[in-house]
Amino acid sequence: IVIIKPRQIDPYIKIYQTAFFLSGGIDSEDIDRIKSLSLNNLYAVDINSKFETEPGLKNIQKVDNFAKSIKQ
């Protein structure tokens, strides 16, 4: 599995034949950028602390909204 930060994504990423995690400061502002790339081998997205209500505790509603937006 390859881990790629969203600010490092280039169109060549589409040629990877393996599943990969997308990580590195991802928040709801990155949804359109991620979706525009049509990343077929995207396995998981590691979201950042902007989804937390307190350190280490994610806001489930924000996470759910993000997940639904990515899947659309």
Side-chain angles (χ1 to χ4, degrees):
I1 294 177
V2 178
I3 300 176
I4 300 165
K5 295 182 179 185
R7 275 100 185 135
Q8 297 173 335
I9 293 175
D10 287 312
Y12 72 84
I13 191 72
K14 295 178 185 179
I15 66 170
Y16 283 144
Q17 298 298 313
T18 186
F20 64 92
F21 282 79
L22 190 61
S23 70
I26 297 173
D27 62 28
S28 57
E29 294 176 10
D30 296 309
I31 291 172
D32 290 336
R33 173 80 170 120
I34 294 167
K35 288 173 66 172
S36 74
L37 296 172
S38 301
L39 303 171
N40 297 330
N41 292 329
L42 180 60
Y43 179 78
V45 177
D46 175 32
I47 55 178
N48 69 15
S49 60
K50 290 183 181 176
F51 291 88
E52 295 179 351
T53 55
E54 60 185 74
L57 184 61
K58 298 288 190 226
N59 178 316
I60 298 301
Q61 188 62 47
K62 285 184 177 182
V63 173
D64 189 49
N65 290 341
F66 179 84
K68 287 177 181 174
S69 294
I70 288 288
K71 292 177 183 179
Q72 290 179 348

